[in-house]
Amino acid sequence: MFLESISLKNFRNYTDVNISFSHGTNLILGKNGAGKSNLLEAIYILSTSKSFRNAADNKIKRWGTYNYNVKGVFSSENGEYEIELSYVKDKKRLLINGAPEERISNILGFAYCVIFFFDDILLVAGPPKMRRSFLDLILSTIDPLYFEYLKNYLSAFKQKSRYLRDSSSIDYNLLKSWNEKLVDSGSYILHKRYSLVRFINSYIDKSVSEVFGFRYPFKVVYQTNVPRTNNEDSVEHIQSSFTEELEKNTDKEIRVSQCIIGPHRDDLVFTDEKHDVRTFGSIGEARLSSIILKCAQAEFYHQKKGIIPILLIDDILLELDKKNMEKVLILIYAESQKVITTTEVVKLPEIFLYDQMFNIDEKGNILCKGIRKPTQ
Amino acid sequence: MNEQSTIQRLINELSKLPGIGRKTAERLAFYLLKESDNVGRGLAEAILEVKQKVKFCSVCGNLTEGDPCGICCDPRRNRKIVCVVEEPKDIWAFEKLRTYNGVYHVLMGVISPLDGVGPEKLRIKELLKRIEASETEEIIIATDPNVEGDATALYLSKLIKPLDISVTRIASGLPVGGDLEYADSVTLSKALSGRRPL
């Protein structure tokens, strides 16, 4: 999948720019605060409708303006898509190939992108919610049904939580009805998350170990309070295990007035079979583990959808030592399109080549668009 | 009260109606002012009359001028089948079918703790009493196919099944005459899992 061009209006520090990208590696060069990451943010927003920096839309629009507009042309084997997202009068609007879409979430599944950036380290060291969101984003992107079940689960969860909190006497029949709705959507969520985690581990075992030249010691473990069954390919098995656990804990849930069983409490743990990387690993190890998770995301899109995603890399590789950085560069697809930001070209390793360079000055003008290919 | 505030009051009242914003309310208000007296009077009288005459049916909860309502009184209706709906307007939707011959029961909402609606605020007790008092054989639950509607349906089935009455839920699936490609994924997957042999 390739991003052909993007145009931004009143987006962050850009008033009105059009940029055409190379299908290979695009290097964005600029000083701190020049607006390099804002370009990646614009591309990413066309992939998920949200900023990877978790910024609200009214922060994304250019200071002093009321709306922004991002339009990108993407191409894949299935043809070209034009995705346009605008923010007008506090509301987002999505156009795909010029036709308005009713729901903004319909944006998922068109432009496949994987972002590598500073906060990725939170995937390993941050709160469990970050890891659940990571799994949810990947699965929602490739499977619209997952997204719907996730929404259903969330509303049933909110309703049940409120019921447990506000009711002085609990009607068991009603509690059971909410539980059935939780099981209905939650089992599908668990089923898909299990299989994604299995995929990540096999990716670490094979691809990562191959590139690093030894058996990469870490794996991810999906932690859930729903007892695992020996047949996780079957949603029915998960349903009965989930139902049973909810029934077992009904009294406890009533006592603490909270939903304590279900995938909303789950977590993903990086371990080397003995230790949790969060507590025993170095920052470098945590960083590397988070990058590997992102590489697995790219590979998952490729395996499931036959699409090589666009890789957006925001200065991240520079926190690794040179050897690991080179390994990661090998691990990420050679044939994928990349948009990479950096402050100085000299920081990049020798094996790093680029097809096109954009130079952003302090005022956010994109000055140099010439193609430069360094000699190896 | 001067002209300004009289008009303002009308605009305020109109904008309380569902689906009507400030702008539309203004347009309607100025339209009423411009048109002949009959238009405004006709509308005002119709509103007053409807609020005076139309009541909820004491049996099923439908909107009616007489009590019980026309459907509950109709001797040709099959009282053994009761279709449970959320709102009176859902009865209208079913009645347009002309093929459903049973009677109805309006819940006046769905269970939603987030909106402070529990089973006690709905007409569930009335439904159970009605089942006990009559020779009901089947309950069709036709609440909306969303999380709250489904949970309400599940809850009702738990209450009614022990009474040895068959409880069914209306099927959800594809709209007739619609294009498959425009169906959302959940609808499509429900339609798939609810498939029938030909």
Side-chain angles (χ1 to χ4, degrees):
Chain A
M1 164 144 258
F2 302 107
L3 170 63
E4 301 291 338
S5 63
I6 194 168
S7 70
L8 316 177
K9 286 195 181 70
N10 292 333
F11 188 92
R12 294 282 193 186
N13 60 325
Y14 298 102
T15 313
D16 190 355
V17 289
N18 286 292
I19 309 167
S20 296
F21 290 93
S22 149
H23 281 196
T25 299
N26 299 271
L27 190 67
I28 298 171
L29 197 64
K31 295 227 164 64
N32 291 331
K36 304 183 295 294
S37 307
N38 296 347
L39 282 181
L40 297 189
E41 188 175 38
I43 301 169
Y44 188 82
I45 225 168
L46 290 177
S47 170
T48 65
S49 86
K50 292 195 176 84
S51 159
F52 60 82
R53 292 189 278 200
N54 236 334
D57 289 302
N58 57 13
K59 297 282 186 311
I60 292 172
K61 66 181 173 49
R62 198 165 63 88
W63 185 251
T65 60
Y66 298 98
N67 38 47
Y68 71 74
N69 181 293
V70 192
K71 188 155 79 176
V73 177
F74 295 85
S75 67
S76 74
E77 284 167 16
N78 306 327
E80 274 200 356
Y81 307 107
E82 186 194 81
I83 302 174
E84 182 175 352
L85 194 73
S86 45
Y87 175 75
V88 185
K89 288 185 186 164
D90 301 328
K91 251 191 175 167
K92 266 196 253 190
R93 234 166 58 99
L94 170 66
L95 297 171
I96 294 176
N97 289 333
E101 290 284 330
E102 231 170 85
R103 296 200 291 184
I104 299 296
S105 62
N106 287 355
I107 206 169
L108 292 170
F110 280 99
Y112 285 80
C113 292
V114 177
I115 177 84
F116 294 77
F117 78 124
F118 185 77
D119 280 359
D120 284 346
I121 201 154
L122 295 177
L123 283 179
V124 177
K129 190 176 187 299
M130 306 272 312
R131 288 179 283 279
R132 287 195 299 268
S133 310
F134 173 70
L135 298 177
D136 290 341
L137 173 70
I138 298 174
L139 291 164
S140 299
T141 302
I142 66 155
D143 180 6
L145 198 55
Y146 184 89
F147 182 75
E148 290 294 331
Y149 275 128
L150 197 62
K151 267 198 323 196
N152 280 350
Y153 185 85
L154 209 67
S155 20
F157 164 74
K158 279 187 191 153
Q159 293 280 20
K160 183 185 160 190
S161 301
R162 180 62 72 91
Y163 182 60
L164 285 168
R165 205 193 74 189
D166 287 0
S167 299
S168 44
S169 70
I170 294 288
D171 179 338
Y172 279 83
N173 278 327
L174 187 51
L175 195 61
K176 251 187 168 170
S177 304
W178 290 121
N179 282 347
E180 278 175 47
K181 287 311 291 173
L182 286 178
V183 168
D184 184 34
S185 44
S187 301
Y188 188 85
I189 293 169
L190 283 168
H191 169 64
K192 291 291 171 182
R193 284 185 183 172
Y194 290 159
S195 80
L196 175 55
V197 169
R198 272 204 305 275
F199 176 89
I200 295 172
N201 281 326
S202 76
Y203 176 76
I204 294 172
D205 254 6
K206 287 192 198 113
S207 308
V208 179
S209 299
E210 202 181 293
V211 168
F212 281 77
F214 58 90
R215 204 175 150 269
Y216 194 74
F218 297 119
K219 61 175 191 159
V220 281
V221 177
Y222 186 79
Q223 282 188 339
T224 172
N225 49 33
V226 177
R228 306 292 287 257
T229 69
N230 45 24
N231 185 0
E232 280 165 359
D233 292 328
S234 140
V235 180
E236 288 78 23
H237 276 80
I238 301 172
Q239 279 173 344
S240 48
S241 163
F242 194 176
T243 309
E244 213 176 282
E245 196 62 18
L246 279 166
E247 272 165 19
K248 247 193 253 169
N249 287 281
T250 300
D251 291 329
K252 196 173 169 195
E253 288 196 316
I254 294 170
R255 208 168 51 241
V256 298
S257 298
Q258 265 178 30
C259 302
I260 54 175
I261 303 298
H264 60 279
R265 289 246 177 153
D266 292 353
D267 196 3
L268 199 61
V269 178
F270 250 76
T271 108
D272 65 349
E273 275 146 32
K274 281 195 213 105
H275 306 300
D276 187 333
V277 174
R278 278 178 301 188
T279 41
F280 288 93
S282 68
I283 290 181
E285 279 174 322
R287 173 61 72 191
L288 188 58
S289 301
S290 72
I291 292 174
I292 285 169
L293 272 188
K294 289 295 177 92
C295 293
Q297 177 184 5
E299 178 63 18
F300 190 69
Y301 289 157
H302 184 215
Q303 292 280 319
K304 295 287 167 183
K305 290 281 156 179
I307 289 169
I308 298 178
I310 301 161
L311 305 182
L312 310 172
I313 303 172
D314 193 12
D315 233 14
I316 191 85
L317 300 176
L318 306 176
E319 214 177 87
L320 296 175
D321 62 37
K322 208 164 179 180
K323 204 181 79 206
N324 277 340
M325 195 198 297
E326 289 186 3
K327 295 273 162 51
V328 170
L329 284 172
I330 299 168
L331 196 59
I332 61 182
Y333 280 99
E335 62 266 51
S336 67
Q337 185 184 30
K338 300 171 197 76
V339 184
I340 301 174
T341 68
T342 190
T343 45
E344 281 168 76
V345 181
V346 286
K347 281 191 183 170
L348 298 166
E350 289 84 39
I351 65 158
F352 184 82
L353 298 169
Y354 56 90
D355 301 283
Q356 186 153 12
M357 185 169 80
F358 303 97
N359 207 330
I360 306 177
D361 73 5
E362 281 113 16
K363 285 175 185 155
N365 298 314
I366 299 170
L367 293 173
C368 159
K369 292 188 182 180
I371 298 171
R372 268 175 53 187
K373 200 141 194 165
T375 49
Q376 204 166 357
Chain B
M1 203 183 262
N2 58 32
E3 306 87 39
Q4 196 79 42
S5 65
T6 323
I7 300 172
Q8 203 58 53
R9 187 182 153 207
L10 177 61
I11 293 170
N12 277 343
E13 292 302 319
L14 286 169
S15 62
K16 284 179 192 163
L17 300 174
I20 296 196
R22 200 77 209 159
K23 278 257 164 66
T24 316
E26 281 174 17
R27 237 176 65 210
L28 292 173
F30 286 114
Y31 172 81
L32 289 171
L33 283 170
K34 209 174 73 189
E35 287 300 305
S36 69
D37 285 358
N38 290 341
V39 178
R41 185 167 295 126
L43 178 65
E45 281 172 4
I47 293 173
L48 285 175
E49 202 178 332
V50 91
K51 288 306 280 182
Q52 268 169 15
K53 287 193 180 161
V54 178
K55 302 266 179 302
F56 293 113
C57 169
S58 58
V59 180
C60 71
N62 189 14
L63 291 167
T64 176
E65 288 191 30
D67 194 14
C69 72
I71 296 169
C72 290
C73 292
D74 190 340
R76 289 163 298 180
R77 288 274 177 167
N78 182 354
R79 281 176 183 65
K80 288 179 181 157
I81 304 174
V82 179
C83 179
V84 178
V85 295
E86 287 180 22
E87 306 285 345
K89 67 177 165 46
D90 298 328
I91 293 186
W92 287 48
F94 270 102
E95 281 305 284
K96 276 187 220 147
L97 281 178
R98 293 166 194 268
T99 51
Y100 177 69
N101 192 34
V103 290
Y104 298 94
H105 190 88
V106 184
L107 290 176
M108 298 295 174
V110 274
I111 299 172
S112 172
L114 289 172
D115 301 307
V117 181
E120 69 289 344
K121 290 203 176 160
L122 303 175
R123 297 181 69 250
I124 292 176
K125 243 182 264 142
E126 287 88 336
L127 177 65
L128 297 177
K129 255 185 223 153
R130 201 175 154 189
I131 293 170
E132 267 171 39
S134 65
E135 71 278 52
T136 311
E137 282 171 6
E138 183 184 355
I139 299 283
I140 304 169
I141 304 176
T143 49
D144 288 345
N146 51 29
V147 170
E148 290 76 21
D150 284 348
T152 308
L154 289 166
Y155 178 68
L156 287 178
S157 78
K158 287 184 190 5
L159 298 182
I160 299 165
K161 269 187 188 154
L163 307 174
D164 211 21
I165 286 162
S166 113
V167 183
T168 53
R169 175 96 171 101
I170 51 161
S172 53
L174 297 168
V176 177
D179 268 320
L180 209 66
E181 57 173 326
Y182 294 122
D184 70 272
S185 46
V186 172
T187 307
L188 206 54
S189 98
K190 281 209 168 171
L192 195 62
S193 63
R195 67 187 182 276
R196 279 180 311 202
L198 286 171

